[in-house]
Amino acid sequence: MLESGPWSEWSLHLIIVASPADAIIGKYFLEVETRPEACSSGKNFFYILFNPWCKADSTFLPGDAHKDEYVLNDCGTLYSKGKTEDVVPSTWQYGQFEEDILDCCLYILDKSKLVAKERRDPVKITRVLSALVNKEDDEGVLEGKWELEKPCGGHTCPWTWEGSVQILNDYYKTKKSVKYGQCWVFSGVLTTILRCLGIATRSVTAYSAGVDKDGNLKIDHHAGEKIWTYHVWNDVWIKRPDLPDGYDGWQAVDGTNQITSDGIYCCGPASLKAIKNGEVNLDYDTRFLFAAVNVEEVDENLKCKKIRTRIVTKSLSREKSFEDIIDDYKFPEGSEEGKKALALAAHLSAKFPPIQQNVWEGTKKG
C-alpha cells in the first residue's frame, strides 16, 4: 500500500498476505499493480503447503521431536531387509528440500485432477498420491518389478536405489514412469512427496504381512494367497473429519499397487484406530490392512494358525534404530480386546464383496 507522507511524496507500507489454515495446496502467482514506474519484485509466485505447526491445520502434529523427524528429516531409515526376528536397516535419502522436488510433487498432484476444494483435504490428497506413486492407471512415478530372476534390462533394479531425488527428477524430466521399484521404494518416494507437501509421514515395515484376496481375513494358500516376508507402506498424521470423532492421528497408506480401491490401484488412508478395533467398515481399505497385520494362515489341510507380525519404523530415540509400533495396529495376541476386534472384523467383513487385488508373483517380499 502506498500513501502520502510528510517527508516525501510517497511512504511505503508493508503488505501482508495471510492464507487461511485450510487454503488450497499449490503454486500461486502474485501480481501487484502500483505506479507504472515502480520496480518489479522479481519472482511473482509462492507456494502454499500444509502446516503441521498450525493448530488450525488438518495436519497439525504435536511435539517438536515428531515434526523434526516426520516432516523435516530429509534422511531416514527403511527396513527392507531381514525378517521378523532379524530387523535390518538401510539408509534412504528423502531429499524433500532438494531443488525441483517441490515442483515435481505439485506436478504429480496436478495429475490427480482433484478439483480446487479437494486440494485442501489431506485425506483426499494422500489417497490420490498413493495411486500416483505407482505406474498403474495413471502412468505414475514408479513401475514395479517383482520377478527378481529376470534382468532389469538396462534399467535400475529396485534394490539399487538409495533415495527418492533421482527417481523424482527423472520422472519430472521425462514424464514417464521410472523403472523399477518395489514396496520400500514406493514407500520412500511417497514419504518424500508427502513430507514435501507438509504432511507428517513415516515409513512402516510389517514383517510377515498377509495378502488377503477374498476378504475373509484368512490367508488361504490353496486359494493363492500369501504372506510377505515383509511389506513396506506409510503412516500419515492427519485429521479425519470424514470419520466419527476419535479417528484422527496416524493413518496407513500404501503406494504399492496391490489392490484396486474405487477402481484404481491405491490404498488408504486407513485409521490405525479403526484397524486396531477391527472396524473394517470405515474408509479407506481398512479391511485389507486389518488382514495384513492379523495374519491367520490356513494350510492345505484347512488348519488355521496365527502368524506373528512385527511392525517397525525409525525410532525417534538416538539410542535405538527402530521402534516396534505393533501396539498402534493391534491389541496383544490373546487379549480380550484383541478377540473382540477379530470378532467385529469378521462380522463386518462378511457384509462386503471380495477385495480386488494384483498379487505379484516371483518373491515373498512386498
Side-chain angles (χ1 to χ4, degrees), residues 149-164:
E149 69 279 1
K150 296 181 180 179
C152 295
H155 301 289
T156 305
C157 293
W159 50 90
T160 61
W161 295 113
E162 297 180 347
S164 305

Side-chain angles (χ1 to χ4, degrees), residues 66 70 79 87 202 205 310-317 320-326 328:
H66 291 81
Y70 301 131
Y79 298 91
V87 175
R202 64 187 184 186
T205 301
R310 189 176 195 182
I311 306 176
V312 302
T313 190
K314 182 179 181 296
S315 175
L316 293 178
S317 171
K320 54 182 181 179
S321 65
F322 68 87
E323 178 183 0
D324 194 323
I325 57 171
I326 189 69
D328 288 354

Side-chain angles (χ1 to χ4, degrees), residues 168-186:
L168 289 170
N169 279 335
D170 288 350
Y171 181 68
Y172 191 38
K173 179 180 179 181
T174 66
K175 306 300 188 288
K176 295 181 180 179
S177 302
V178 178
K179 300 178 180 180
Y180 290 104
Q182 282 199 19
C183 62
W184 67 91
V185 187
F186 289 111

